[in-house]
Amino acid sequence: MSGKSLFDKVWDMHIVASETEDVPAILYIDLHLVHEVTSPQAFDALRTRGLTVRRPDLTLATMDHSTPTVPINSLQELKVISEPEAFEQIIQMEKNCEDFGLKLRGFDSDERGIVHVIGPELGATQPGKTIVCGDSHTSTHGALGALAFGIGTTEVCHVLATQCLLQRKPKTFAVNLVGQLQPGVTAKDIILAIIGEIGVDGGTGHAIEYRGEAASRLSIEERMTICNMAIEGGARTGMFAPDDTTFEYIAGRPLAPSGTAWDTSLSNWRLLPSCDDAKFDKEATLNISELKPMITFGTNPGMVIPVDGVIPTPSATDTGFAKALDYMQLEAGQPLAGTPVDIVFIGSCTNSRLSDLRAAASLFKGRKVADGVRALVVPGSAKVKRDAEAENLPAIFQAAGAEWREPGCSMCLAMNGDFVPAGKLAVSTSNRNFEGRQGKGARTVLASPLTAAASAINGVVSDPRPFI
């Protein structure tokens, strides 16, 4: 019998009741991340049934999706600037956390931020944990060797009430990364290239493990960017094996183990990487030495080309492809570089960490945002904001003509006052370019912070490499 993969080890450690043909497995959940959009109905269901939250200590709550990214000084001011539905979600989240005894990282918390940013930075995300959230991009936490995936509102209720979840075991998919990143090419380009290669359904029914010598050289924040978008390739989750880079990242964080508990945890974490003879149900390899900066051109993340490439020509029978180009107001056979840009958004749970902001600032320094372009830079958390301010990054952005905002999901999903007007083209560091994702009629191209910054400076979709 072959050895176990990282995924298999973590899965097996959390089985409460085994899967059968008729019934999914029952998994124990180590950490439940909760935000204001997918939790209201779940809390209402608890009230209706007279149930409590089983493990408040394993539930981390924040507000991120609906929160405005402009400064808020009062509840009345929040009500004035927020959409009615968003305001109600925020108020209800505060009430739900108070009623059920949960600590909320709210407006008055110096630990607030995007849920997939604050989990790792607080040290709550740890190797070998099972982590769930009512959000598709929960796979982000797999960067630290956790088994993390998004769940629906009904499942949010199940986990709140029982700290367990019904789940079918996915298959395994090894994505082997080899080579060395070239200047101007980033982790965002790696994951866009992977999705372009395997397709938006290539990972369906699988848990991906990103492995290989190139994977081990990536920082934790780079790994988070890659795992964040595993779902966009159809996968249930994405994971990296924990290593010394992981342990150094976690050590000393507020919710990380300490003392003898740290020693015990470290010993256990070192046992998690896949066995040398582990077998995977599917494999793919990407040589990152050959990568160029990548950018999307259509209405899903798999419609992606090198920034200096040309838009492919669809087959005569591919009506979906033609429809996407029509929506994006682009033509097959033409380059995307040079296309006029209206808005640039640097932020989201994909690319709003300090390293992302440093990368963008390195291009903006001493330069200006092009006339007619609106550029927003939105930190992923209050801590990222403080750290960026300590490095004087906001001054660089503002001197260039970009807006420096408060933490939140912002323009990723256009439900908090930040949106792309109809027909306008946005270069975005977020994770989804679906029709209307950033606003009704908005046209989105996904790219790295470097490509986004270069495009803001030039006023057209641009290759960042001449700036490096």
Side-chain angles (χ1 to χ4, degrees), residues 177-187 190 212-219 222 286-292:
L177 302 178
V178 299
Q180 182 76 45
L181 282 177
Q182 301 303 302
V185 186
T186 71
I190 292 176
E213 42 91 11
S216 66
R217 288 197 299 269
L218 295 172
S219 71
E222 289 174 318
L286 178 70
N287 185 346
I288 65 173
S289 298
E290 300 171 355
L291 272 188
K292 298 179 178 182

Side-chain angles (χ1 to χ4, degrees), residues 8-157:
D8 288 324
K9 291 180 182 182
V10 181
W11 178 277
D12 290 349
M13 287 163 50
H14 290 83
I15 293 176
V16 176
S18 298
E19 179 177 349
T20 69
E21 287 188 10
D22 300 321
V23 182
I26 299 177
L27 288 187
Y28 185 76
I29 302 303
D30 294 311
L31 178 64
H32 187 192
L33 307 169
V34 181
H35 62 84
E36 77 278 14
V37 175
T38 54
S39 65
Q41 301 93 328
F43 283 114
D44 284 346
L46 294 183
R47 287 190 182 93
T48 299
R49 292 165 173 78
L51 299 173
T52 61
V53 174
R54 184 172 181 85
R55 292 295 302 270
D57 57 319
L58 302 183
T59 308
L60 194 160
T62 192
M63 299 188 292
D64 53 8
H65 286 61
S66 299
T67 53
T69 61
V70 294
I72 300 297
N73 298 310
S74 68
L75 192 61
Q76 182 59 34
E77 188 176 348
L78 174 65
K79 186 173 184 179
V80 169
I81 68 171
S82 298
E83 294 292 327
E85 183 180 2
F87 178 74
E88 179 58 33
Q89 287 174 338
I90 293 168
I91 298 303
Q92 190 61 43
M93 185 66 173
E94 291 180 337
K95 183 179 189 308
N96 287 335
C97 289
E98 182 178 356
D99 289 352
F100 287 92
L102 301 180
K103 178 180 178 179
L104 173 64
R105 271 78 177 180
F107 283 113
D108 59 347
S109 173
D110 61 2
E111 295 179 341
R112 78 180 183 96
I114 301 174
V115 68
H116 305 314
V117 175
I118 68 170
E121 75 180 17
L122 288 172
T125 301
Q126 296 168 19
K129 278 190 175 183
T130 48
I131 302 175
V132 297
C133 177
D135 185 271
S136 302
H137 298 100
T138 308
S139 53
T140 306
H141 305 264
L144 290 98
L147 171 53
F149 49 89
I151 57 176
T153 295
T154 300
E155 293 172 311
V156 170
C157 180

Side-chain angles (χ1 to χ4, degrees), residues 357-358 360-361 364 369 377 392-404:
L357 305 189
R358 285 172 176 159
F364 278 124
V369 174
V377 182
N392 210 35
L393 300 186
I396 295 173
F397 298 132
Q398 291 167 333
E403 300 175 33
W404 175 245

